[in-house]
């Protein structure tokens, strides 16, 4: 995109047309936003915040947008379903239970870490790297549903701040 390259587009092995990368990128971003909410992954941003980036920078992302992967990675993945961690107060107003969120995160991390020890890896190299790095991925599901249940909008400053608090609890 930055270099204004032109990409050949093919379908079923047949050349269809050429298109500028910026036009393709804009179409991709618009499609993601209109169909899947927070599923856009910016690999450069993820690599910048990854404490393992010097050894294994991410080159691709899981289709759900959870994690950037180096080219050799085998790792366990799990999900936290945010709406199931909400709780209602006496008046029926929903909010995040940070105690349950932290407990669910601890359980997920322990469970996923345990899978590294019992997994059958495709090669000794994969096994060596998985055991050495012990990398795992925890995604979140139901972001928009959870925010909406709490009376918040995903595209509002308050909604983004709230989500930042939730994800901060998971990260830390």
């Amino acid at each position: 995109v930055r270099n204004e390259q032109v990409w050949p587009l093919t379908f079923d092995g047949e050349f269809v047309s050429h298109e500028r990368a910026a036009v393709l990128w804009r179409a991709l971003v618009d499609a993601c936003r209109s169909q899947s909410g927070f599923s856009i992954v910016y690999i450069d941003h993820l690599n910048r915040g990854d404490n393992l980036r010097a050894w294994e920078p991410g080159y691709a992302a899981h289709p759900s947008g959870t994690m950037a992967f180096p080219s050799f990675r085998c790792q366990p993945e799990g999900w936290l379903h945010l709406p199931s961690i909400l709780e209602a107060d006496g008046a029926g107003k929903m909010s995040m239970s940070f105690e349950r969120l932290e407990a669910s995160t601890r359980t997920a991390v322990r469970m996923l870490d345990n899978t590294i020890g019992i997994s059958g890896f495709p090669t000794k190299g994969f096994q060596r790297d998985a055991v050495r790095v012990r990398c795992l991925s925890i995604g979140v599901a139901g972001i928009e549903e959870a925010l909406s249940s709490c009376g918040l909008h995903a595209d509002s400053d308050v909604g983004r701040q709230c989500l930042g608090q939730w994800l901060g609890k998971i990260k830390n």
Side-chain angles (χ1 to χ4, degrees):
V1 172
R2 187 176 298 133
N3 297 329
E4 300 183 21
Q5 292 181 335
V6 175
W7 286 58
L9 301 180
T10 61
F11 179 75
D12 203 20
E14 300 281 329
F15 174 79
V16 177
S17 67
H18 284 97
E19 192 60 73
R20 288 184 19 250
V23 172
L24 294 173
W25 176 250
R26 174 57 35 208
L28 176 67
V29 169
D30 290 345
C32 286
R33 285 188 179 139
S34 70
Q35 298 299 316
S36 58
F38 293 103
S39 295
I40 301 171
V41 176
Y42 297 100
I43 300 294
D44 61 329
H45 291 248
L46 291 174
N47 279 335
R48 195 174 310 133
D50 184 1
N51 60 340
L52 299 174
R53 69 185 169 276
W55 296 282
E56 50 184 41
Y59 295 105
H62 187 281
S64 64
T66 59
M67 176 77 183
F69 298 118
S71 57
F72 59 84
R73 172 71 55 79
C74 277
Q75 71 183 43
E77 291 187 346
W79 294 88
L80 294 175
H81 185 250
L82 294 179
S84 67
I85 304 172
L86 298 175
E87 62 185 5
D89 64 14
K93 184 175 181 202
M94 300 299 285
S95 64
M96 180 57 67
S97 167
F98 288 112
E99 184 177 304
R100 289 176 55 203
L101 180 61
E102 289 171 359
S104 296
T105 302
R106 278 192 305 277
T107 300
V109 167
R110 185 69 193 148
M111 180 197 71
L112 292 171
D113 188 65
N114 286 342
T115 65
I116 292 172
I118 63 171
S119 292
F121 292 93
T123 69
K124 292 289 183 196
F126 278 119
Q127 183 175 13
R128 182 183 58 251
D129 289 332
V131 170
R132 177 182 57 88
V133 177
R134 299 200 81 76
C135 191
L136 51 90
S137 175
I138 296 180
V140 291
I143 291 172
E144 292 185 39
E145 181 185 348
L147 287 170
S148 178
S149 295
C150 294
L152 301 170
H153 296 281
D155 64 348
S156 70
D157 288 339
V158 175
R160 285 187 291 274
Q161 288 170 354
C162 185
L163 178 59
Q165 285 181 320
W166 298 350
L167 296 178
K169 290 288 185 185
I170 294 168
K171 177 183 174 188
N172 299 319

